[in-house]
Amino acid sequence: MRCLSILALLALTSTLFAQRNASIPDPDPEIERKTFILPEGFEVSLWAADPLLAKPIQMNFDSKGRLWVASSEVYPQIKPGQKADDKILILEDTKGTGVADKTTIFARGLLIPTAVEPDQFGGCYAADSTDMVHFSKPNEKGESTVKRIVLSGFGTEDTHHILHTFRTGPDCRLYMSQSIYIHSHIETPNGVRRLNAGGIWQFQPESEKLEVFARGWVNTWGTAWNKYGATFATDGAGGEGINYVVPGAAYVTARDVARILPGLNPGSPKYCGLDVVSGRHLPDDWQQNLITNDFRGHRVCRYIVQEDGSGYVAKEQKEVIRSTHPAFRPIDVKMGPDGAIYIADWYNPIIQHGEVDFRDERRDKTHGRIWKVTAKGRPLVAKPTISGAKVEDLLELLKSPEDFTRGHARRELATRPMNDVLPKLSSWLLNQKEDSAALEALWVRQSLNAVDIDLLSKCFRSTSPDVRASACRVAGDWVNRHTDISFKLPLLAKDDHPRVRMEAVRALAELKTIEAVTAIASALAKPMDKWLDYAVWQSLRETKETWLPKVKDGSFDFGGDPKKLVFALKAVGEANTGVVLANLLLKGKVDKAKIPDLLMTICEVGNAKDLEFVITATQEQPELQRRILPAVEQSIKSRKLPKTNDAANVLVKLLTEAKDPETRRITTRILGLWKHEPARQSIEALSKSTSEDPAITALNRAAAYESLASYGDAKAVAFIKASLTDASDRQALMALVKLDTKAAAQATPKFLTNDSASAFLDSLFSAFIGQKNGTTELTKALADTKLSADVAKVGIRAARASAQPDMALIDALSKAGQLDAAK
């Protein structure tokens, strides 16, 4: 870890040094283009460059195939007295030559606009510092004449962390990002919404409902969906690579959360922008890959994403583009309507926000490029007709291989009258055989806010787990609007596929009913992974007010399953978990067959008083006692739980009266862990006891000496040393190694006889190796000692197996055992 930290520091220092010593390159785009290295079979061309645009920050295509760009020549900070005049630009290839030839300044007068997303009516949403704004009503020149502040109050603490990166999801909702230094308090028609630090917002344009979709990351800077609606994100200042986004989850840097999810590629560079490859123009092995930008490393990266339980794994591939040009700064990447990859190049030798002076003259304020990557020998996709198309034609576009086309067709359908779309949608769906068509139809209905239980049920029955999982997410949006959904969703929480269970669990959390809570917990009965475990955990936290009071009053116990109950109590951080469980037991709310599991669970999560309850509750039940006491011992060891007098008194009595030898041994060790003085004499007596069965004698003595070693005081040391007069009392020697390593080493040679059991020797040598100065003291003690070759070999084997073999000990053992190199 230390090496990794040093490497990271060196990399950062190198980057900063390069920034501070950056030189201004020749701005000729052709010089830059010649530095690009692409995979075999690909080529890159310049689609647009200054003066058509300058300083692109984010870009999105509209349904007409025009590219909208948020452009800021002011970034990173406006000068005192300077008039804000940043712009929203529209770039077009009006001649069909494959190169942009027209720029329209759609809106101007903005201050560092960091996002733009065109709507279906010729306008756009944009991020304008602390405001989310909407521009509309273009005049004959294509310039917006109306600016409306939609939401205000987004934080402004850092200009490269402010509201940014707008994307439209499969549900036709707008997803927006903010980053770690930002504190946003937004007044909406549905109440105040807050997000302190980084995260992704979800906004419904029709209702203006704003919610936090996920939180965390350092500089949240890319959101995208695969063809089935699974969500991914990138971080422009983190190191987790691709992030798989569970709705409502928290990720690295999230504030005031008890638990976070990791990214898929820990240790990756910082990435900005994100899109999913799809369509006929690009090769089959690129389909549904993720593409993102390493703007510091002058690269556009590609990841293959594969299913992994309820989540995914992402594996980096050869870059889409890499370059040695110091000003190539890929800052956004999008799939175009023609199936090509478009890259927004911010073009700047200086990217550091704070380490290089804001007014440094080397900061480029005028250049910018859009590069276009295509596959050689493969035709581009014909630009689809979406804007103004008939409903019937738009429905046919929902079968397109291109995510771009399907997404914009859905968005266009969402603007049409519902009574025109829905009947035709139902008729169209009757003729479709693919389950993916049903999912597309479901998203259309979701965007129109038109609940369809039959269609949802059809998707629930799909043979594709991806379709079922996405249907569960839609169901979460509708679940409080139709009672049938609350009856169907619980079945999906038990689905064979873990991602379906995960999405169902997150949807059920919206219900806030005890039936939904029961269904959420039912997912625990099947195999778990980190994504699903988190989803159940988060969902139980969100429904806490529904179930926790009922658990405490004994009216609800998660079906009598202690494991589910404890998972839930741990999820909400219930401080009195053990008390709650004990009360259920006392009230007779637990099935008899599950009492042992419940008691062991109390041991796992309870406090000292809870352990006392367990010990006293089982004192008249020897069989149950024997099952439970190991859990008591483990809890004391792992969580250092102190004794209570009542518990200790029960165990002292058990120490002398228990008929089961194993119960006595466990009790002995527990009393030692508690250093319970009234038990010492009985434990000392046990160390000298004998039995007709030598094995039982050895076990009893081992437990007694282990217990005395736990006392760890001078009295215990003296007693154990006195026990070493008999060379057969190996258990005493093992205990002494922990208490007085030097004395144990000096006593060891007389124990290393030819008939020493190999298991004992292994344990003894390992005990010395595990103690500080243990090998040193043993090496000294072995001087002038003669051992059998077999005994010496056992010691050498143990020494060599350690993380840092002590060669002095190995040499001493070799000499004592008369082992030379040849032998």
Side-chain angles (χ1 to χ4, degrees), residues 353-389:
H353 182 63
E355 293 82 356
V356 180
D357 192 277
F358 283 177
R359 314 298 179 212
D360 192 302
E361 293 183 355
R362 293 168 300 166
R363 286 188 183 274
D364 188 283
K365 299 286 187 177
T366 58
H367 297 95
R369 286 89 199 260
I370 306 295
W371 301 99
K372 179 178 178 179
V373 175
T374 53
K376 296 177 182 178
R378 297 176 68 97
L380 290 167
V381 177
K383 185 171 70 174
T385 300
I386 296 173
S387 181

Side-chain angles (χ1 to χ4, degrees), residues 313-384:
V313 292
K315 299 178 181 178
E316 188 172 2
Q317 306 299 301
K318 188 174 182 181
E319 298 97 336
V320 177
I321 275 187
R322 58 187 174 94
S323 171
T324 57
H325 196 284
F328 174 55
R329 302 295 181 184
I331 197 169
D332 200 5
V333 60
K334 291 293 187 307
M335 294 299 302
D338 56 359
I341 298 171
Y342 289 76
I343 300 163
D345 177 6
W346 191 49
Y347 192 87
N348 211 318
I350 300 292
I351 57 169
Q352 292 297 331
H353 182 63
E355 293 82 356
V356 180
D357 192 277
F358 283 177
R359 314 298 179 212
D360 192 302
E361 293 183 355
R362 293 168 300 166
R363 286 188 183 274
D364 188 283
K365 299 286 187 177
T366 58
H367 297 95
R369 286 89 199 260
I370 306 295
W371 301 99
K372 179 178 178 179
V373 175
T374 53
K376 296 177 182 178
R378 297 176 68 97
L380 290 167
V381 177
K383 185 171 70 174

Side-chain angles (χ1 to χ4, degrees), residues 40-59:
E40 185 176 351
F42 286 80
E43 58 189 351
V44 61
S45 59
L46 183 68
W47 190 76
D50 43 273
L52 284 178
L53 79 159
K55 316 318 300 171
I57 291 181
Q58 201 213 355
M59 63 181 184

